[in-house]
Amino acid sequence: MELNGVMVFSENVELELQLLGKGAELAEKLDTELQAVLIGSDVTDASTLIEHGAERVYVVENPELGHFAFEPYRTAILEAIKRASPEIILFGATKRGKELAPRVAAALDTGCMTECIGLDVDDERRLLAERLTYGGSCVANEMSRKKPHIATIPPRTFQKPEPSKRVGEVIKLDFEVPASRIAIVERKEKSRGEGGLEEAPIIVAAGRGFREKEDLKLLEELADVLGAKVGCTRPIAADSGWLDEWIGISGLKVGPRLYLACGISGTVQHAAGIRDAQIIVSINKDEAANIFELSDYGVVGDLYKVLPALTKALKSRRK
Ligand SMILES: Cc1cc2nc3c(=O)[nH]c(=O)nc-3n(C[C@H](O)[C@H](O)[C@H](O)COP(=O)(O)OP(=O)(O)OC[C@H]3O[C@@H](n4cnc5c(N)ncnc54)[C@H](O)[C@@H]3O)c2cc1C
């Protein structure tokens, strides 16, 4: 069967709009149509996708799809692919997108290029990608040889297009959503300071320089004054369990205007997550710490002294 069209999907609509920007460019080069998929229990964004360039929106709406579970979502995406037969499928590289894309690729017996920061097509309609590798120190150029070509794209890699009044087709897909084999036992609110890190304009982040969980209070007080979110390195979240999410190559990629690294050594794995930060300020007691190489401003000092002093100074300037 001939495959045609560029399809985009992310459960994060803002990211899906960014994918439409790149998708439109690829679709134009291939002289094919731009398609988008929307999945959920109450889908209202089809017209927004059309205004941002989608020519056809495949909608899968079902009470079972209100919360993400990879099995029913994979089935929904595969149903849309069966209907649309796209030759390229772009997924947002959120946590969920990263679960979904390789599973869809496996079901279609094709490849999946992950976390692409650049995309193009060649004369033979193959998808070309640029990906950061070796902890972000090199760029790998890759080519997908098998259709449909599948790639995942991190947030903020591409710009969302300007909206305009456009006409598109909305196609509702109706099929039996399979029950998930995973039962959700509990849902918990994220702890204070977390959530929204990827969009936060200011982040203050903790590393292993903090000795106790209670000491994070020092950072939270500073966050309050700055209107910042609190982030951390992987050991703080994954090993100590003090916060839920970490920043870095295996965690979140952030792009704040200001990133304040406190008691963080600056390994390549952490650095890969803060590459897009505009200004990096660090506090570390070791003047040879690698984080200073990455920083615009550095304070060599004990965070237990520097943080309270900084918070106090900022508070007094506010008065
Ligand atoms: C496959 C893989 C993936 C990984 N992915 C990630 C990732 O996504 N994100 C991530 O963060 N890590 C990741 N890691 C872990 C990474 O290698 C490092 O172990 C981690 O980043 C180090 O965290 P840290 O800077 O908090 O701790 P450390 O490296 O132990 O640094 C602590 C720093 O605090 C300073 N310090 C100590 N006391 C004070 C004080 N009182 N005042 C001021 N400074 C002080 C020290 O001088 C030191 O520089 C990964 C590792 C692997 C193997």
Side-chain angles (χ1 to χ4, degrees):
M1 188 212 296
E2 198 181 334
L3 303 179
N4 247 310
V6 175
M7 178 178 274
V8 305
F9 173 74
S10 176
E11 78 291 349
N12 174 335
V13 174
E14 191 58 27
L15 177 51
E16 189 160 20
L17 298 181
Q18 294 165 18
L19 300 187
L20 282 173
K22 189 56 167 182
E25 196 186 303
L26 299 177
E28 195 182 334
K29 281 191 179 172
L30 295 170
D31 192 19
T32 188
E33 73 169 19
L34 183 57
Q35 309 149 348
V37 182
L38 272 177
I39 302 175
S41 57
D42 183 20
V43 173
T44 54
D45 298 307
S47 57
T48 311
L49 295 179
I50 291 170
E51 282 165 14
H52 286 81
E55 293 168 77
R56 239 172 254 217
V57 181
Y58 292 87
V59 173
V60 187
E61 200 169 12
N62 189 296
E64 301 288 318
L65 297 168
H67 290 290
F68 179 85
F70 72 79
E71 289 164 312
Y73 267 59
R74 182 189 57 181
T75 310
I77 295 271
L78 288 171
E79 195 66 26
I81 292 170
K82 203 160 85 189
R83 285 287 292 273
S85 308
E87 60 182 312
I88 293 177
I89 309 160
L90 307 180
F91 286 91
T94 58
K95 246 184 198 175
R96 291 164 174 183
K98 286 192 268 190
E99 276 194 71
L100 201 54
R103 287 181 161 98
V104 170
L108 298 171
D109 191 24
T110 188
C112 178
M113 299 191 290
T114 57
E115 309 230 26
C116 302
I117 56 163
L119 285 176
D120 206 349
V121 283
D122 69 6
D123 295 345
E124 292 176 46
R125 302 177 81 89
R126 291 176 300 205
L127 187 63
L128 311 173
E130 285 181 348
R131 300 175 57 239
L132 290 177
T133 186
Y134 295 120
S137 56
C138 300
V139 175
N141 290 296
E142 298 186 357
M143 180 182 70
S144 168
R145 286 186 297 193
K146 194 162 178 207
K147 286 186 187 177
H149 307 299
I150 297 186
T152 73
I153 324 290
R156 295 184 306 278
T157 305
F158 302 121
Q159 290 213 322
K160 81 174 173 189
E162 285 299 318
S164 61
K165 283 267 159 280
R166 300 177 65 262
V167 181
E169 193 183 357
V170 178
I171 300 166
K172 294 210 172 197
L173 300 179
D174 197 14
F175 64 97
E176 187 127 342
V177 177
S180 175
R181 280 181 292 170
I182 295 170
I184 296 176
V185 181
E186 191 188 357
R187 284 181 206 283
K188 274 204 303 191
E189 286 292 314
K190 284 190 170 166
S191 51
R192 187 172 171 276
E194 294 198 340
L197 273 173
E198 285 164 301
E199 284 81 35
I202 306 179
I203 296 175
V204 293
R208 266 204 299 222
F210 283 82
R211 291 190 285 268
E212 307 282 342
K213 183 178 182 185
E214 290 63 41
D215 301 345
L216 292 179
K217 199 159 50 73
L218 296 174
L219 206 55
E220 285 168 0
E221 281 166 7
L222 180 63
D224 273 349
V225 182
L226 290 171
K229 294 275 179 191
V230 177
C232 67
T233 59
R234 186 162 103 163
I236 295 294
D239 302 343
S240 304
W242 296 350
L243 294 169
D244 288 341
E245 290 178 313
W246 65 89
I247 293 163
I249 197 162
S250 58
L252 300 173
K253 314 280 180 297
V254 297
R257 280 190 279 118
L258 173 65
Y259 187 79
L260 181 68
C262 306
I264 292 177
S265 60
T267 56
V268 283
Q269 292 90 354
H270 188 72
I274 59 172
R275 232 162 257 289
D276 290 342
Q278 286 172 28
I279 297 178
I280 299 176
V281 180
S282 356
I283 304 169
N284 197 303
K285 68 178 185 185
D286 174 8
E287 65 177 20
N290 193 52
I291 192 75
F292 290 130
E293 300 279 317
L294 314 169
S295 303
D296 300 280
Y297 302 93
V299 179
V300 179
D302 183 344
L303 68 87
Y304 285 87
K305 292 187 184 139
V306 178
L307 280 180
L310 189 56
T311 306
K312 194 172 158 203
L314 288 168
K315 268 187 185 162
S316 70
R317 279 189 61 178
R318 267 178 151 195
K319 284 180 189 158

